[in-house]
Amino acid sequence: MKIETFEMERMQSTWENVVEMDMSESGVRPVSLRELAEMGLDVDSILAMPLGYSQSNGTIALREELAKSYPGATADHIEVTNGTSEANYLLALALVRDGDEVAFQVPNYMQYGGVPKSLGAKVSHFRLNIDRDWEPDWEQFERAVNPRTRIVYISNPNNPSGSVLSREAMQRIVRRCDEVGAYLLADEVYLGAEIYCPRTESFWGMSDRVIVTSGLSKAYGIPGVRIGWIVGPKDVVAECWSQHDYITIGPNKISDAVARIAVQPENRQKLYSRTCAILQHNLPIMREWAQSFSGFLTFREPRAGALCLMRYSSSTPSFELCERIRLNQSVLVVPGAHLGLEGFLRIWLGGKPEFLTEGLRRIGIELHAEMARA
Ligand SMILES: Cc1ncc(COP(=O)(O)O)c(C=O)c1O
């Protein structure tokens, strides 16, 4: 199986621990074990825990707790995975066969740019249009989603635009999937990270062809435990479990215990509120900074997520610009080219305010130089 390089992940893993300032992140600064202990995590019981294998599809207690937030779901509709990325990967392994098609929303987290192709599928893109408030380009969508399509992948809220689909757009997407017999894979890992807008509606329950993936990495602020999940039709979930047996067997036992605390409704709300407070505090700093470029930067503010996507007015490829920022300022940001959208930069919004201010100052030095050149 030949798989193309996942450019953003590879760039991050190469440089994120080398640069002075990693602003390529996409979640809020992470929660500590101490904070989780204050929410009821019994650290002593973790110290005493025999480190055996855990239940490979997630403990019943965790799956039952998760099922409560997906109406109609039971523990059998859920597979707990090592991060949302494993959830997405298992679904591709379970559902995609050589010759299938996969429709992929761009810009996006590019996992589904690479994985289905490695399994022999053709990947067709449909764009979100910045000039129409990130509404999907419906012509491209209708073309990309056809009777050969096995999976339609979207992230909602979207990485990297921070946009959220309208109710009408959601219904249109689901209707089309039903018409052609495709599964809709809605990656909802940013659900709960809304900044000012109401909670994003889940796709769950809109059709029996809807599959949702999510995890603790973004809205919860707990990426390090690597817990994600799939919620889907029982037969699809059972097939994912079979794939899971071959790959990682299951999630780590300590992580499952941490997740059982994090997803309790009261704690989930606390964690979402923490995320929201961080983002609400930082967004005006980012806004003011973007405005100081007198039109060189176009910034459509994110509705959710710790991501800010900036369009810049020059023809320099985004990778080249990011390399300059990394080499001259020791700051890592994500080029739009790694997200399916040339001419943009993605800058992290989830750090401490003083970190954000200093990072933006450094990025600004390079952007001002670029502006002068343009
Ligand atoms: C849309 C989306 N899905 C999945 C992931 C990976 O998440 P996890 O850390 O839960 O594997 C990311 C990470 O940036 C993402 O943006």
Side-chain angles (χ1 to χ4, degrees), residues 58-320:
T59 54
I60 293 175
L62 176 54
R63 283 182 290 128
E64 282 181 344
E65 194 58 57
L66 285 168
K68 288 183 196 158
S69 47
Y70 297 98
T74 66
D76 291 340
H77 293 88
I78 294 181
E79 177 81 11
V80 178
T81 58
N82 290 282
T84 315
S85 40
E86 189 183 54
N88 293 334
Y89 210 121
L90 290 179
L91 281 159
L93 289 172
L95 296 176
V96 176
R97 298 289 171 266
D98 199 10
D100 284 346
E101 293 192 16
V102 167
F104 181 49
Q105 173 206 50
V106 281
N108 220 321
Y109 181 66
M110 297 304 276
Q111 189 181 15
Y112 261 57
V115 173
K117 261 191 243 165
S118 75
L119 300 170
K122 176 183 163 209
V123 177
S124 306
H125 291 181
F126 60 95
R127 296 209 151 265
L128 297 178
N129 193 335
I130 186 173
D131 298 318
R132 276 195 258 129
D133 204 15
W134 297 115
E135 182 85 2
D137 178 322
W138 292 113
E139 253 176 55
Q140 284 182 6
F141 174 78
E142 304 282 332
R143 234 177 297 128
V145 183
N146 63 61
R148 291 178 301 282
T149 308
R150 187 70 171 142
I151 297 183
V152 178
Y153 173 94
I154 60 170
S155 57
N156 191 55
N158 174 255
N159 172 3
S161 65
S163 62
V164 176
L165 291 165
S166 65
R167 178 80 192 160
E168 295 69 43
M170 290 170 75
Q171 283 167 334
R172 188 162 173 177
I173 290 169
V174 171
R175 225 176 15 249
R176 181 72 178 164
C177 289
D178 280 343
E179 262 166 36
V180 301
Y183 284 106
L184 174 66
L185 197 184
D187 180 332
E188 298 182 348
V189 72
Y190 291 95
L191 188 152
E194 295 77 18
I195 306 177
Y196 289 107
C197 65
R199 180 69 25 84
T200 306
E201 257 185 86
S202 175
F203 273 94
W204 177 252
M206 289 179 74
S207 147
D208 54 13
R209 303 201 70 82
V210 165
I211 302 166
V212 167
T213 55
S214 190
L216 296 185
S217 296
K218 311 297 178 187
Y220 287 83
I222 318 176
V225 297
R226 311 300 304 126
I227 287 284
W229 52 87
I230 300 166
V231 195
K234 281 186 191 172
D235 57 333
V236 173
V237 168
E239 190 54 38
C240 288
W241 193 5
S242 298
Q243 295 288 346
H244 213 173
D245 288 339
Y246 277 101
I247 301 176
T248 53
I249 303 178
N252 144 340
K253 193 169 173 181
I254 301 176
S255 298
D256 192 295
V258 169
R260 290 200 297 273
I261 297 298
V263 303
Q264 285 171 8
E266 196 185 323
N267 291 336
R268 175 191 295 131
Q269 199 42 55
K270 276 189 199 152
L271 291 162
Y272 285 177
S273 299
R274 172 186 180 276
T275 295
C276 180
I278 292 171
L279 299 178
Q280 285 191 351
H281 188 93
N282 285 349
L283 190 56
I285 302 174
M286 186 70 82
R287 182 186 300 141
E288 199 179 312
W289 177 82
Q291 281 164 357
S292 73
F293 287 86
S294 21
F296 179 72
L297 293 181
T298 312
F299 175 36
R300 177 112 348 134
E301 294 186 9
R303 301 186 74 201
L307 310 148
C308 288
L309 196 59
M310 303 277 168
R311 176 155 61 180
Y312 57 89
S313 308
S314 85
S315 57
T316 303
S318 54
F319 181 71
E320 191 180 317

